[in-house]
Amino acid sequence: MFPRIQENVPLAPYTTFRLGGPARYFLDAHSVEDVVEGINFARAKEVPILPLGAGSDILIGDRGFNGLVIRLVALRGMNVERNQVLLKTGEALPKVARILADRGLSGFEYLAGIPGTIGGGVAKNAGAHGKEIGDMLVEAYVVGEDGYIRTLPKEELNLDYRTSALPELGILLEAKFRLSEDDPHLIRGRMERFLAYREEHQPWRERTAGCMFKNPPGHYAGKLIEEAGLKGFRIGGVKVSEKHANFFVNEGGTADDAVRLIEYVRDRVYKVFGIELEVEIEILK
Ligand SMILES: Cc1cc2nc3c(=O)[nH]c(=O)nc-3n(C[C@H](O)[C@H](O)[C@H](O)COP(=O)(O)OP(=O)(O)OC[C@H]3O[C@@H](n4cnc5c(N)ncnc54)[C@H](O)[C@@H]3O)c2cc1C
């Protein structure tokens, strides 16, 4: 009845951290119909759903996920009308940035170095270099637990610093953005500068989940971790990056190593500075 749904599928290969156990059920969705089928399946089995984009902001525990993972990267498509663009959930932020730069549409070049999808980007209100995806968002098309698709204006998504009301409100299928027009040459120039900055300052070719902690008001999490003497500190096979202390690198460890490292770093920073670090990534223990 649900032929596309597989059982007991390892999730580590679907995350940039390359950590975590299996999904009890797994669906690689290729259409909106697939997503709705997944929602019906999960309802029938009475299990939770985890929508998954590029898996670049998530730490899945070693025991995996006891529910249905709906992977959305195959839902791709882009429609540009003047300065408005409609993007399907699985479109990759770096690719979108390049295409829109060539068309003289500015906004996504700030996000060109973020290895996520439109869905994950909106869910986490991804941002860099002073720009967030929410700055450009107009509205989102979301399918809820009841299988109905709704149009949600940006205001209903409660976008904030690396957070939103997704996926609680449902699974984002598509989103509309308004961009500003600019010279493609200038947009591409900005994009190259942002990418070069990352190459120099972040371990973005290694197995990480991006920044582990949010920046506390008035501070940089990476600087606090570095000043607490934790650059290069390791638990098992996961370590604090020597290049940027707010990135943790998986060098053949387990999700449990990563969880213990997160707790250790939070504890140490609190002891040294009296500042509580808030985890930025999604953790499924
Ligand atoms: C090297 C590196 C650098 C990074 N740099 C940045 C940066 O500069 N700025 C920044 O903000 N982030 C950064 N990140 C983090 C990450 O890339 C972003 O948060 C990205 O937007 C996550 O997208 P994703 O598709 O990978 O989401 P996933 O990791 O797959 O999912 C993240 C969350 O979104 C939910 N979700 C995913 N798709 C949907 C959907 N369609 N509908 C509803 N919910 C959904 C998931 O359930 C999960 O809760 C970085 C990560 C890495 C590895």
Side-chain angles (χ1 to χ4, degrees):
M1 187 177 166
F2 296 105
R4 298 183 61 92
I5 294 172
Q6 302 163 262
E7 279 184 65
N8 207 24
V9 173
L11 290 173
Y14 298 120
T15 71
T16 55
F17 220 173
R18 298 284 192 274
L19 290 173
R24 181 165 164 202
Y25 302 109
F26 183 87
L27 170 63
D28 205 350
H30 281 70
S31 65
V32 173
E33 290 71 30
D34 285 351
V35 177
V36 173
E37 181 176 308
I39 290 171
N40 291 336
F41 174 87
R43 197 186 307 122
K45 294 277 185 190
E46 297 182 1
V47 293
I49 294 175
L50 173 71
L52 191 66
S56 64
D57 205 42
I58 198 160
L59 170 58
I60 292 163
D62 291 319
R63 281 181 301 158
F65 180 65
N66 188 15
L68 171 68
V69 169
I70 305 185
R71 191 164 178 254
L72 296 151
V73 295
L75 265 74
R76 288 194 289 264
M78 177 185 296
N79 189 12
V80 185
E81 259 184 51
R82 288 193 295 276
N83 69 337
Q84 295 220 14
V85 54
L86 201 56
L87 289 162
K88 290 208 166 50
T89 184
E91 284 293 349
L93 294 169
K95 174 186 152 197
V96 168
R98 278 195 308 276
I99 293 175
L100 294 178
D102 289 345
R103 289 188 171 227
L105 291 171
S106 167
F108 276 90
E109 72 271 25
Y110 294 81
L111 314 181
I114 302 180
T117 60
I118 291 297
V122 174
K124 296 302 305 241
N125 193 18
H129 313 285
K131 187 93 165 178
E132 290 177 333
I133 201 167
D135 300 339
M136 302 172 279
L137 184 68
V138 178
E139 59 191 22
Y141 310 98
V142 169
V143 56
E145 272 176 10
D146 53 10
Y148 285 105
I149 299 172
R150 292 182 185 80
T151 303
L152 299 179
K154 167 180 159 174
E155 294 67 36
E156 286 188 32
L157 294 177
N158 295 336
L159 297 163
D160 207 336
Y161 176 37
R162 305 296 168 263
T163 181
S164 78
L166 296 176
E168 285 71 24
L169 280 185
I171 300 176
L172 183 137
L173 298 171
E174 225 173 347
K176 187 189 278 179
F177 300 90
R178 188 175 299 122
L179 307 177
S180 46
E181 287 166 34
D182 200 357
D183 180 343
H185 185 70
L186 294 177
I187 303 173
R188 281 197 294 264
R190 281 196 291 275
M191 191 158 73
E192 294 313 321
R193 279 200 302 281
F194 297 145
L195 290 173
Y197 179 87
R198 267 173 203 271
E199 184 78 50
E200 195 182 336
H201 295 281
Q202 298 177 2
W204 70 303
R205 293 182 191 280
E206 298 188 63
R207 296 172 170 188
T208 79
C211 284
M212 205 34 96
F213 301 102
K214 295 184 181 182
N215 288 324
H219 297 275
Y220 289 105
K223 200 156 178 285
L224 293 172
I225 299 168
E226 185 177 344
E227 286 174 3
L230 292 171
K231 255 191 175 178
F233 182 80
R234 145 193 316 271
I235 292 186
V238 181
K239 70 167 189 188
V240 175
S241 165
E242 274 113 3
K243 205 165 183 187
H244 189 312
N246 201 16
F247 285 68
F248 290 7
V249 181
N250 170 23
E251 293 186 332
T254 62
D256 190 51
D257 293 341
V259 169
R260 286 191 295 135
L261 187 58
I262 290 167
E263 280 161 12
Y264 184 88
V265 168
R266 287 188 70 193
D267 196 52
R268 186 75 177 267
V269 166
Y270 187 73
K271 279 193 183 126
V272 177
F273 299 106
I275 295 173
E276 243 175 77
L277 291 178
E278 189 188 336
V279 173
E280 178 175 322
I281 67 166
E282 300 300 316
I283 301 185
L284 295 183
K285 283 190 195 166

